[in-house]
């Protein structure tokens, strides 16, 4: 869908700030129609969540401020539309700091509902500060996170531009622990793909290749091959489109203002 595609473009071209302007322009009219109002149909509920999250993660200040306001009310009253929780949590993390990290982490620890725990775990990977991301990565391997939920948590951080390199370094530094815990099941291949398939440079291609020549996890040969192929595809995508995108934005700069 258009939201996912634009998010991918933003991930691979983080220095082109005009992409945020394009996203905000595209989704603002829809936001004016649905806003934060309660929706009745399943499609409308999904649309609202996508629109709010997309705008928030594109630095729309009004949406981010409203999400923070609703989150603060939720902390006091425990009242928040369940269909808005994921969007609110994502935006609070994206625009938040250590204080919000602790609040979301505590909600995760205190919750007894697995669905809520997954929402919170996914959201905790959306912070942008190095120290917060690093703390969360260590939290992922603590006893607080179930074995089967580690891939979800790792994927969340790896899908965060600010967390990808940190996640890869954390994986390498703790490789023996990852291998001990996940080396005999399906989790290790999924973790490897979640991290490595997001890279888009030849430098990372060679780094990943060399690392797994030295470290050969069981049951992950195909995942490693798929990740290396994904990096090549990402590299070619960036190389073939970066200049074209910049030139197009330069000639159409007034459209999205």
């Amino acid at each position: 869908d258009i939201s996912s595609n634009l998010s991918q473009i933003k991930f691979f071209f983080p220095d082109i700030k005009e992409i945020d302007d394009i996203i905000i322009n595209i989704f603002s009219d829809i936001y004016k129609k649905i806003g934060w109002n309660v929706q009745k149909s399943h499609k409308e509920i999904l649309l609202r969540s996508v629109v709010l999250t997309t705008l928030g993660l594109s630095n729309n200040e009004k949406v981010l401020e409203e999400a923070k306001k609703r989150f603060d009310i939720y902390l006091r009253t425990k009242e928040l539309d369940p269909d808005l929780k994921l969007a609110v949590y994502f935006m609070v993390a994206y625009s938040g700091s250590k204080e919000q990290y602790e609040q979301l982490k505590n909600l995760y620890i205190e919750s007894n509902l697995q669905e809520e725990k997954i929402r919170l775990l996914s959201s905790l990977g959306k912070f942008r500060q190095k120290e917060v991301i690093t703390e969360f990565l260590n939290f992922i391997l603590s006893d607080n996170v179930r074995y089967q939920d580690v891939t979800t948590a790792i994927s969340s951080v790896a899908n965060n531009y600010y967390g990808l390199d940190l996640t890869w370094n954390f994986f390498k530094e703790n490789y023996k622990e990852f291998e001990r815990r996940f080396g005999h099941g399906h989790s290790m291949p999924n973790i490897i793909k979640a991290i490595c398939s997001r890279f888009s440079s030849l430098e990372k291609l060679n780094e990943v290749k060399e690392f797994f020549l030295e470290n050969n996890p069981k049951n992950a040969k195909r995942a490693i091959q798929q990740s290396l192929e994904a990096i090549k595809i990402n590299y070619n995508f960036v190389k073939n489109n970066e200049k074209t995108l910049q030139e197009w934005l330069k000639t159409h700069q007034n459209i999205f203002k």
Side-chain angles (χ1 to χ4, degrees):
D1 60 70
I2 189 169
S3 174
S4 298
N5 291 336
L6 287 170
S7 296
Q8 286 283 79
I9 291 171
K10 180 179 176 178
F11 185 92
F12 288 124
F13 302 104
D15 296 326
I16 303 179
K17 303 305 179 185
E18 293 86 351
I19 295 173
D20 277 347
D21 295 331
I22 293 173
I23 295 173
I24 291 172
N25 182 278
I26 290 173
F27 285 89
S28 287
D29 285 343
I30 308 173
Y31 172 66
K32 289 175 184 176
K33 293 179 181 178
I34 62 173
W36 293 82
N37 299 323
V38 175
Q39 303 297 319
K40 295 181 180 180
S41 75
H42 182 64
K43 287 184 178 179
E44 289 172 333
I45 290 170
L46 290 177
L47 177 63
R48 180 183 59 174
S49 181
V50 168
V51 170
L52 292 175
T53 304
T54 302
L55 286 171
L57 300 187
S58 300
N59 299 294
N60 183 297
E61 290 300 328
K62 289 184 178 180
V63 174
L64 290 173
E65 288 171 7
E66 181 63 25
K68 178 64 166 55
K69 175 183 174 184
R70 288 173 182 254
F71 182 68
D72 289 341
I73 293 172
Y74 174 65
L75 291 177
R76 297 194 305 270
T77 67
K78 296 302 179 185
E79 293 181 2
L80 178 62
D81 182 350
D83 295 321
L84 282 175
K85 280 188 172 182
L86 186 61
V88 168
Y89 293 163
F90 264 41
M91 288 185 276
V92 165
Y94 178 78
S95 61
S97 60
K98 182 68 185 299
E99 179 184 1
Q100 285 71 42
Y101 170 76
E102 292 295 336
Q103 291 168 338
L104 286 168
K105 185 183 74 172
N106 289 336
L107 287 174
Y108 170 83
I109 292 172
E110 293 166 4
S111 177
N112 294 316
L113 299 174
Q114 185 58 20
E115 183 181 4
E116 178 73 350
K117 279 186 171 292
I118 291 297
R119 277 195 291 252
L120 288 159
L121 203 59
S122 299
S123 304
L124 283 162
K126 301 308 175 189
F127 285 88
R128 292 182 281 179
Q129 299 86 354
K130 179 179 178 180
E131 63 275 12
V132 175
I133 295 170
T134 301
E135 184 170 335
F136 178 55
L137 287 168
N138 284 291
F139 180 78
I140 290 172
L141 290 186
S142 74
D143 293 337
N144 290 292
V145 179
R146 298 193 315 169
Y147 170 95
Q148 56 265 46
D149 295 336
V150 168
T151 302
T152 297
I154 289 289
S155 297
S156 178
V157 193
N159 277 318
N160 175 358
Y161 170 77
Y162 301 93
L164 177 56
D165 284 342
L166 292 172
T167 309
W168 171 235
N169 291 335
F170 180 80
F171 176 80
K172 290 188 295 180
E173 291 166 4
N174 296 275
Y175 175 74
K176 289 184 178 180
E177 180 62 17
F178 275 98
E179 187 175 39
R180 184 186 71 80
R181 292 194 191 189
F182 310 110
H184 300 285
H186 298 294
S187 293
M188 184 65 115
N190 291 333
I191 289 170
I192 290 171
K193 285 194 293 184
I195 301 170
C196 299
S197 64
R198 302 297 289 163
F199 290 126
S200 58
S201 71
L202 294 180
E203 178 186 359
K204 287 300 182 185
L205 175 68
N206 293 326
E207 187 179 321
V208 171
K209 191 181 298 183
E210 289 174 9
F211 180 80
F212 287 115
L213 283 175
E214 296 177 7
N215 302 278
N216 188 20
K218 297 177 182 179
N219 303 325
K221 182 177 180 180
R222 186 179 179 192
I224 295 167
Q225 292 174 337
Q226 290 174 331
S227 296
L228 293 173
E229 187 61 32
I231 298 172
K232 293 176 186 177
I233 292 170
N234 296 339
Y235 167 75
N236 286 322
F237 175 77
V238 173
K239 183 182 72 170
N240 295 332
N241 291 283
E242 185 169 20
K243 185 178 179 180
T244 302
L245 178 58
Q246 288 174 329
E247 290 177 350
W248 186 89
L249 288 169
K250 192 177 294 183
T251 58
H252 294 79
Q253 58 184 331
N254 294 324
I255 295 180
F256 300 103
K257 296 297 183 182

